Amino acid sequence: MLVSMHDDPPILVCADLQVEYLTPGRRHVIRDGDATTARCLELLTLWRSNLWPVMHLKRIAQAAWFNPSSRLTDWIAETRPQPGEMTFEHPLPSAYSSSRFVGHMSAIRTTRCILIGFSLDETILATAVEGFHRSHRYHVITDAVACRQPGTDDAAAYRHAVVDVIANFATIQSSAELIRTSGAVAV
């Protein structure tokens, strides 16, 4: 992934790792959320141990189904941002709906970002598309992203279709491939 020792490491962008998505009975519950959370935590650990940059996105929508004052919008405890890690709240699906995020992304030299987390069919899709149009390079880690159960019988087909759409705007790779390439430069 890194071309030379002089390249900056990519930024790990953790999308919407919030309690809302793991709470049974909620509209946006993610059935395989625990597995996705574990994979995200593995990548977070790699980034943190190498002191590479980490960003956290938090959805604070004003829709009737999403109460921003609820405890359900809190970070999942294990993935909570640590001191020195950037956090951005976004009201619309794209992280670019946050003026702070836009300002930060336009000010940094490296715009290679690794996208992981929840809201594959909302935040991750919208951010990858909008980032593409701003010449920011995103990598979506397929086994570290998840989306809510759609109104269809075949959740796997829905997820696959969303990933196929994202592939038009971002690089798609697995966490094993990312760890293998990132570990090579961690020395």
Side-chain angles (χ1 to χ4, degrees):
M1 179 180 315
L2 297 179
V3 177
S4 77
M5 300 256 316
H6 303 289
D7 283 351
D8 291 330
I11 300 166
L12 185 67
V13 181
C14 304
D16 303 339
L17 291 173
Q18 296 168 249
V19 174
E20 170 82 20
Y21 299 100
L22 298 179
T23 304
R26 300 296 297 172
R27 179 177 176 204
H28 287 277
V29 69
I30 295 173
R31 289 190 180 160
D32 60 346
D34 291 337
T36 301
T37 302
R39 189 57 46 106
C40 290
L41 191 54
E42 179 182 2
L43 293 172
L44 260 171
T45 301
L46 173 65
W47 252 252
R48 288 170 173 166
S49 67
N50 285 292
L51 302 176
W52 293 340
V54 176
M55 285 185 190
H56 298 269
L57 305 177
K58 185 177 189 181
R59 182 82 187 267
I60 54 162
Q62 297 298 320
W65 57 266
F66 200 98
N67 180 357
S69 64
S70 166
R71 306 282 307 161
L72 294 172
T73 63
D74 288 350
W75 305 107
I76 297 167
E78 299 85 12
T79 64
R80 184 179 322 278
Q82 292 185 352
E85 296 177 349
M86 298 164 278
T87 60
F88 299 94
E89 294 181 344
H90 58 104
L92 299 174
S94 173
Y96 291 92
S97 66
S98 164
S99 59
R100 286 185 56 245
F101 183 81
V102 171
H104 181 74
M105 291 301 288
S106 63
I108 60 176
R109 180 175 61 126
T110 299
T111 53
R112 291 175 301 129
C113 299
I114 308 298
L115 266 170
I116 64 172
F118 297 148
S119 298
L120 174 66
D121 55 346
E122 292 176 1
T123 298
I124 293 172
L125 172 63
T127 300
V129 170
E130 194 162 348
F132 174 83
H133 291 291
R134 295 170 186 254
S135 298
H136 299 162
R137 293 179 289 162
Y138 283 94
H139 293 252
V140 175
I141 309 307
T142 56
D143 54 339
V145 294
C147 57
R148 63 186 168 79
Q149 179 66 34
T152 66
D153 290 335
D154 194 351
Y158 176 76
R159 185 183 184 290
H160 183 71
V162 173
V163 170
D164 283 350
V165 169
I166 292 172
N168 293 308
F169 305 98
T171 301
I172 305 297
Q173 65 185 141
S174 70
S175 62
E177 181 182 2
L178 175 66
I179 290 169
R180 186 174 51 252
T181 58
S182 296
V185 294
V187 179

